[in-house]
Amino acid sequence: MKRRKAVLMGITVLFLSFMGNRAVIKAEAADATAGEPSVSMEAPGEEADPIYFEETVSLYQAGAFETDTSGIMAYDMRTGSQEEQIYQSLSQVSPQLDVSGWGLTEDEMAAMFERVVNGHPDLFYVSNIYHYTLDASSGKVLLMKWEYRETDQNRINAMKASMEAEVSNILNKMDSSMTDLEKLMVIHEALVINITYSETTAWDNGKGCYTAYCALVEGKAVCHGYALAFNLLAERAGIGTARFVGSSNLKHAWNLVAVDGQTYHVDCTWDDQDITGKVYHRNFLLSDAGIRASGHTSWNDASLTGTGNIYDNYYWRDYAYDFEFTKRDSVWYLIDQPGAPTEKWKRIGLNLLNPDAAVTVPVSVRYQTHAQTYGWQSPVSDGMMAGTTNQSKRLEAIKIEIAGNRNLGITYQTHVQSYGWQNWVSDGGVSGTANQAKRLEAVKIRLTGTEAADYDVYYRVYVQSYGWLGWAKNGESAGTEGLAKRMEAIEIQVKRRGEAAPVSTKAPFIQPPLAVTYETHVQSYGWQKPVSNGAMAGTSGQSKRMEAIRINLENLPVSGGICYQAHVQSYGWQKPVADGALAGTVGRGKRLEAICITLTGELAKQYDVYYRVHGQSYGWQGWVKNGAVAGSIGRGKRLEAIEIRLEKKK
């Protein structure tokens, strides 16, 4: 037992052989012993006075990990009436307890006190320091004098009432039909939802963070507070097998609980990510192997073992179930949009135990964004916002995953500042950049897998200057391109094919309009300035020949390009060129006489290219399209000007 003992009163130090090296001080002043029993020492020739001590013991609610009674069970009364008397004395905030008839040594008394307080989280106001009177002749404890962390009894009673009210609120969520497993789920959810991990509390100069009181009433605690509150609630729910598990190596505490004859680890602290409405179930009802895989590598009491393993890979560990489980009218649900104006409920089933038959939770999509200043933010899911709004913070990368259907996956690509569209990545891979200060500008997302045709993925983005754009789906572009605008936030949903789609009247994707640009090399003038979308390139009424042309496309909405072929004086038809390459000649004095222009790729399926030329002697000819010849062949007539435009197919 690791304790500190110090003398309270007196000035003379005695070393008694039966106490080894224990330091004692003999009381001298009569008023120093007022109220204490007078005890005789059976030593020859003299009568001894009682000896007074102060003791500090290891209490979980004071931050201890290792105690003489590690793994203490909630409300454990293993030595019967004596522990019950201690409990009643402390419950009534009594100043002292006469134990002269018990015949216990100071070590036995300390162990009993430690066991009572550790086993009763409702004694949160009891100090880990107490005083006692020792019979010097027998070494037995005569009187226990308690210290309390709160000295005002009215204040203590009010605090106890507040805690009992919170306990009742949680217990009232249970009903007589619930199994122990279901009751434990209620306790787990309540603690994870209502407690924020904090090392500072309003009570006891912040040290209350170790207590069940601050966990339940203030909603603030460290792991000790979570674990003690769990023990308290389990006992009050009739599950008297919840034990405190401490690891001095990890500086962490959690619980062990029995369900249907097997024991399991439960760690509410590690299941609490302090995200509103989020309840992880990664550390709920795990075996020894399961809790070790979760990161709990060791604990102080080797006798505390998780023997059951049926929940190590249970369905609720999937992030599709990272929300509160609640039971209403004999049916279990999870609330996957807590706090929203209308909470979104998903039916789990009549109980928690038969997921293959009972669980009807839809496919879930989880996503995580890397945001300027913040780095990787916490994951969100199913239509929740990732990123920020009204903070002018760019998104820089994203990861997306699907849960709830092993036959479904997801793939996505992003348009990144300076780099353009990146390659597709899938199922949790990183798309975008980190630590390069490059903004995401657009995204495409689509489902994969054998059941991809049964679902639709919808997504929308919040964009600099524009705000929320409309919903895109199944691989469409969302965001902007060619406008240098950052994506700041994103929302993603997966719906079964045929379910109502999100409604928005705005376009999901904004970019400058598709444009065809062209420039001509003209006799005497050389290269003129580029023009676009039906404007005239060349000259009219000046008898100047066109000698060369370059044609390009900008802001393509789909894949493809533009191809063109020139008929040149003396040379005839040249080989086709594309996408900004030169057609014709420069510096040879050769006139263009005819031209053909076509679109390529997916662009050709959606658009037509129209063009007309101004020719020597003929003037402006009629419009032709998609590879038709404009100009003349074999007549020696120069082209003098051209106009080109694109039109979407009807």
Side-chain angles (χ1 to χ4, degrees):
M1 183 180 300
K2 298 180 179 178
R3 304 191 195 95
R4 174 178 56 80
K5 290 198 172 80
V7 176
L8 273 183
M9 298 172 291
I11 58 174
T12 304
V13 179
L14 301 175
F15 293 88
L16 303 180
S17 59
F18 74 93
M19 298 178 67
N21 293 325
R22 193 180 304 277
V24 296
I25 294 182
K26 189 173 183 179
E28 292 188 322
D31 58 353
T33 61
E36 304 290 352
S38 177
V39 180
S40 296
M41 297 182 64
E42 298 297 329
E46 68 174 87
E47 184 175 301
D49 291 329
I51 305 170
Y52 305 94
F53 290 96
E54 175 187 284
E55 177 122 12
T56 302
V57 295
S58 299
L59 299 184
Y60 298 139
Q61 63 187 29
F65 287 104
E66 293 186 65
T67 78
D68 284 349
T69 52
S70 59
I72 189 75
M73 184 164 55
Y75 281 57
D76 190 349
M77 295 297 181
R78 283 176 289 185
T79 57
S81 61
Q82 292 175 344
E83 289 192 1
E84 177 64 25
Q85 290 180 60
I86 294 175
Y87 175 67
Q88 291 301 327
S89 180
L90 296 172
S91 296
Q92 296 164 15
V93 199
S94 300
Q96 62 189 36
L97 177 64
D98 184 349
V99 297
S100 58
W102 294 11
L104 297 180
T105 67
E106 53 192 324
D107 284 346
E108 292 170 335
M109 197 72 235
M112 189 177 293
F113 171 82
E114 189 178 275
R115 187 161 57 245
V116 169
V117 180
N118 280 338
H120 293 76
D122 58 327
L123 298 177
F124 60 88
Y125 50 89
V126 176
S127 172
N128 63 335
I129 300 172
Y130 64 82
H131 312 283
Y132 62 94
T133 304
L134 189 69
D135 184 329
S137 63
S138 66
K140 305 301 182 181
V141 179
L142 303 173
L143 184 74
M144 299 291 292
K145 297 187 70 173
W146 313 121
E147 284 197 15
Y148 297 98
R149 304 169 78 173
E150 187 73 42
T151 57
D152 184 332
Q153 187 161 339
N154 290 331
R155 167 69 173 151
I156 292 172
N157 291 337
M159 293 172 70
K160 291 171 70 175
S162 296
M163 189 173 80
E164 288 301 318
E166 295 302 325
V167 169
S168 294
N169 287 339
I170 295 170
L171 296 180
N172 287 339
K173 296 181 180 180
M174 304 177 187
D175 62 57
S176 59
S177 70
M178 286 186 178
T179 64
D180 283 353
L181 184 151
E182 291 177 309
K183 292 177 181 178
L184 290 170
M185 181 63 82
V186 171
I187 294 170
H188 176 273
E189 308 301 85
L191 297 181
V192 174
I193 290 170
N194 295 316
I195 302 175
T196 298
Y197 188 91
S198 175
E199 297 180 358
T200 302
T201 53
W203 178 63
D204 198 23
N205 296 318
K207 297 178 182 178
C209 61
Y210 296 104
T211 67
Y213 167 79
C214 285
L216 293 167
V217 177
E218 289 191 30
K220 294 181 179 180
V222 295
C223 55
H224 291 69
Y226 284 82
L228 289 170
F230 186 95
N231 272 24
L232 173 63
L233 289 163
E235 192 280 334
R236 296 290 181 87
I239 308 170
T241 52
R243 293 179 181 268
F244 187 101
V245 181
S247 171
S248 54
N249 181 44
L250 294 175
K251 301 297 182 185
H252 187 53
W254 63 96
N255 300 93
L256 192 79
V257 67
V259 178
D260 297 330
Q262 299 291 329
T263 53
Y264 301 90
H265 294 268
V266 177
D267 188 345
C268 295
T269 312
W270 280 21
D271 276 348
D272 188 356
Q273 301 298 303
D274 286 339
I275 303 172
T276 301
K278 280 282 192 177
V279 180
Y280 284 5
H281 302 92
R282 312 285 197 276
N283 300 279
F284 182 63
L285 300 183
L286 295 181
S287 66
D288 284 351
I291 202 73
R292 287 193 177 102
S294 181
H296 303 64
T297 53
S298 63
W299 47 94
N300 299 333
D301 189 344
S303 69
L304 300 178
T305 59
T307 59
N309 62 9
I310 62 174
Y311 304 111
D312 280 1
N313 295 296
Y314 215 53
Y315 71 92
W316 54 52
R317 301 192 72 219
D318 193 308
Y319 62 75
Y321 302 88
D322 285 351
F323 300 93
E324 177 188 1
F325 281 43
T326 186
K327 192 175 185 182
R328 294 290 186 273
D329 299 325
S330 301
V331 177
W332 280 90
Y333 297 86
L334 61 82
I335 307 172
D336 74 345
Q337 291 186 0
T342 301
E343 290 179 330
K344 184 177 180 182
W345 293 56
K346 292 182 179 179
R347 183 180 185 276
I348 299 173
L350 295 178
N351 56 57
L352 299 172
L353 295 177
N354 190 8
D356 292 335
V359 176
T360 58
V361 176
V363 167
S364 178
V365 57
R366 183 172 71 167
Y367 40 103
Q368 183 178 16
T369 52
H370 189 282
Q372 176 185 354
T373 306
Y374 301 123
W376 285 108
Q377 297 179 296
S378 297
V380 298
S381 59
D382 300 329
M384 299 177 70
M385 186 187 79
T388 63
T389 58
N390 302 315
Q391 295 188 38
S392 301
K393 302 293 185 183
R394 64 180 172 267
L395 293 187
E396 297 176 346
I398 190 170
K399 296 186 284 190
I400 313 174
E401 295 178 277
I402 290 289
N405 188 329
R406 295 182 180 179
N407 298 317
L408 204 61
I410 197 161
T411 185
Y412 41 99
Q413 68 173 161
T414 54
H415 189 280
V416 179
Q417 176 187 353
S418 305
Y419 300 135
W421 286 105
Q422 294 189 307
N423 293 330
W424 291 86
V425 298
S426 301
D427 302 321
V430 175
S431 183
T433 62
N435 304 317
Q436 296 187 38
K438 299 291 186 184
R439 64 181 173 265
L440 296 187
E441 297 179 344
V443 63
K444 300 176 183 176
I445 307 172
R446 63 174 185 247
L447 299 173
T448 60
T450 58
E451 296 187 20
D454 297 330
Y455 295 87
D456 294 308
V457 57
Y458 293 90
Y459 43 99
R460 67 170 183 167
V461 298
Y462 187 95
V463 175
Q464 173 189 356
S465 303
Y466 295 100
W468 286 109
L469 302 183
W471 291 89
K473 73 171 184 176
N474 299 342
E476 297 172 348
S477 298
T480 66
E481 184 178 349
L483 298 175
K485 299 294 184 182
R486 62 180 172 266
M487 279 173 49
E488 298 179 4
I490 186 170
E491 296 175 351
I492 309 173
Q493 300 180 32
V494 172
K495 291 181 174 289
R496 185 171 287 277
R497 188 67 55 87
E499 288 184 348
V503 177
S504 175
T505 59
K506 297 179 181 179
F509 185 65
I510 300 173
Q511 65 177 157
L514 173 63
V516 55
T517 61
Y518 42 101
E519 57 181 328
T520 54
H521 191 281
V522 176
Q523 175 187 353
S524 304
Y525 299 130
W527 286 107
Q528 296 182 301
K529 291 182 179 180
V531 296
S532 61
N533 297 337
M536 186 187 79
T539 62
S540 176
Q542 298 185 40
S543 300
K544 300 293 185 182
R545 65 180 174 266
M546 284 172 48
E547 298 177 346
I549 189 170
R550 291 190 290 226
I551 310 174
N552 215 334
L553 298 175
E554 296 179 354
N555 310 317
L556 272 71
V558 293
S559 63
I562 192 164
C563 181
Y564 42 100
Q565 183 177 20
H567 189 280
V568 180
Q569 175 187 353
S570 303
Y571 301 128
W573 286 107
Q574 295 181 309
K575 291 182 179 180
V577 296
D579 301 324
L582 184 147
T585 61
V586 174
R588 298 183 183 182
K590 301 293 184 181
R591 63 181 174 265
L592 294 186
E593 297 179 343
I595 191 169
C596 301
I597 308 174
T598 59
L599 300 177
T600 61
E602 184 65 27
L603 188 69
K605 299 177 182 179
Q606 299 186 25
Y607 287 84
D608 295 313
V609 57
Y610 287 85
Y611 45 99
R612 67 172 182 167
V613 296
H614 187 282
Q616 177 186 353
S617 304
Y618 299 110
W620 285 107
Q621 294 181 317
W623 289 92
V624 297
K625 68 176 183 177
N626 299 339
V629 175
S632 62
I633 299 173
R635 297 185 180 183
K637 300 294 184 181
R638 63 181 174 266
L639 296 185
E640 297 178 352
I642 188 170
E643 295 174 351
I644 310 172
R645 72 175 192 268
L646 301 175
E647 290 188 9
K648 192 156 180 77
K649 292 180 182 289
K650 297 180 180 179

